[in-house]
Amino acid sequence: MKLFIGQQMVLPALESVRLGKTRSEAAATLAATVLTAPADTYFLKLSMGVGDPVRLLDDDGKEIFLGSIHEIDRTPEAVNLTAYDRGVYLTRNELYGVYAGMGKTIAAKIAEELGIPLGTVEDDGLRRTIVTGAGQSAFSILRKAMGEGREIAIRDGALTVTKGGGEAVLLRPERVLEVTSRASIREMVNRAVVVGRNGNHLASARNDQDAALYGQFQQVLGKDGDPASQAKAALKGRTMSARVTLLGDLSLRCGGTVEVHRPQWGLEGLYTVTAHEHRWEKGLFTTSLSLEGINT
């Protein structure tokens, strides 16, 4: 791993680095602690300031983070910095107006307004009309347009929206350091009904298997787009979630898929990575993942 601030390679003075992203955030965040020793003429001298570019490369020289410093805290012994990738422009820019159409159409409009290239967009096929007001960021508008189950990020400089997935990575037990997990039906919706303005029934969807196992949990929604698609999208099954820490692996990232077969951990099957944090500290490289069950 190599960390560059501007043109300076800071590895000799680096105490720790954390690189993370969650589904609820648009930007990947890099936090680093760089040691300083002003009185030591032999210690590496570094110059850094807010706005400086930050690049993190893996051992093969592949770029895994490109952003800029947004905050610096200095102490007598160290400099603590926080940097974000270009996804920060989605959260720091508030937009106004009416955004209507499929998710792809809304994403294209937002990308054009922000001057960001548009990459792959995988929406949920529903048409929406979003009337914005004060305090609504580009990211919050995209989240409404795409639905909760989408990964919104800047990849290779372009705005991308994906369903996640891809080829599942098997989590081998010998690499796992710590696991916590949870199963819940508190948010289950196994019957959804869409009604019109007068309360008339427009469409419904039901998960008969879940209803037979756990009893009925019904949600009623006002019409927003195609009623049949809306009802189907509202169904929610049993949730399975976990937090796993393992020996470091940069191939694991938010939006990816992992496969776990350890019932004694409460984990069995495929899981979406909803957050990741790669950490380098005191010579140890670890990766922590937040997981959410697929088709549970």
Side-chain angles (χ1 to χ4, degrees):
M1 180 270 293
K2 294 181 180 178
L3 180 67
F4 290 86
I5 299 176
Q7 299 301 315
Q8 307 164 106
M9 204 274 279
V10 300
L11 186 58
L14 196 59
E15 182 177 63
S16 66
V17 178
R18 299 191 311 276
L19 174 62
K21 187 183 184 305
T22 73
R23 178 183 286 173
S24 61
E25 298 171 336
T29 303
L30 184 144
T33 298
V34 182
L35 299 174
T36 60
D40 189 339
T41 58
Y42 295 97
F43 197 81
L44 180 67
K45 297 297 185 289
L46 299 169
S47 174
M48 63 188 80
V50 171
D52 285 352
V54 176
R55 296 173 66 225
L56 184 66
L57 310 181
D58 65 15
D59 293 337
D60 296 323
K62 180 182 178 182
E63 183 177 275
I64 57 176
F65 176 86
L66 174 62
S68 60
I69 298 175
H70 281 239
E71 189 171 75
I72 291 180
D73 292 306
R74 300 180 186 273
T75 70
E77 298 81 21
V79 175
N80 299 296
L81 64 90
T82 303
Y84 300 97
D85 71 9
R86 293 187 68 194
V88 72
Y89 298 117
L90 297 175
T91 53
R92 293 292 302 278
N93 281 283
E94 296 179 359
L95 303 180
Y96 58 92
V98 178
Y99 295 83
M102 306 281 278
K104 291 180 180 180
T105 302
I106 295 174
K109 183 178 180 180
I110 289 175
E112 182 180 7
E113 290 186 23
L114 297 181
I116 298 174
L118 185 65
T120 301
V121 178
E122 300 173 343
D123 59 26
D124 59 8
L126 299 178
R127 294 181 59 87
R128 295 179 173 88
T129 298
I130 303 170
V131 180
T132 63
Q136 286 196 268
S137 68
F139 181 71
S140 68
I141 297 168
L142 280 169
R143 178 57 70 203
K144 290 180 180 179
M146 300 300 169
E148 291 298 324
R150 295 296 189 270
E151 172 66 15
I152 302 171
I154 301 293
R155 291 184 180 169
D156 298 324
L159 170 60
T160 64
V161 182
T162 59
K163 293 187 243 182
E167 186 175 352
V169 177
L170 180 65
L171 293 190
R172 301 187 180 280
E174 63 270 18
R175 295 185 60 82
V176 175
L177 304 174
E178 185 176 83
V179 178
T180 59
S181 64
R182 168 181 289 180
S184 174
I185 61 171
R186 290 183 61 181
E187 297 181 4
M188 175 176 284
V189 177
N190 51 41
R191 187 171 191 271
V193 180
V194 179
V195 298
R197 292 183 178 180
N198 297 323
N200 54 309
H201 178 281
L202 298 178
S204 62
R206 189 173 191 267
N207 185 320
D208 293 329
Q209 182 177 1
D210 280 355
L213 284 172
Y214 307 111
Q216 180 171 293
F217 299 102
Q218 177 174 287
Q219 183 176 20
V220 179
L221 308 104
K223 181 179 179 297
D224 182 12
D226 176 63
S229 298
Q230 185 184 0
K232 185 176 180 181
L235 296 177
K236 299 177 183 177
R238 179 183 60 162
T239 60
M240 297 287 292
S241 61
R243 182 73 175 175
V244 179
T245 300
L246 62 153
L247 298 178
D249 186 344
L250 287 171
S251 69
L252 301 170
R253 59 190 295 180
C254 188
T257 303
V258 297
E259 183 178 356
V260 192
H261 298 289
R262 303 296 284 182
Q264 62 269 43
W265 296 344
L267 301 176
E268 181 65 35
L270 298 177
Y271 295 81
T272 296
V273 180
T274 59
H276 73 256
E277 183 182 75
H278 303 298
R279 181 190 290 261
W280 294 263
E281 190 170 20
K282 297 179 181 178
L284 182 63
F285 173 31
T286 59
T287 296
S288 294
L289 306 174
S290 293
L291 306 179
E292 185 178 283
I294 299 176
N295 297 324
T296 57

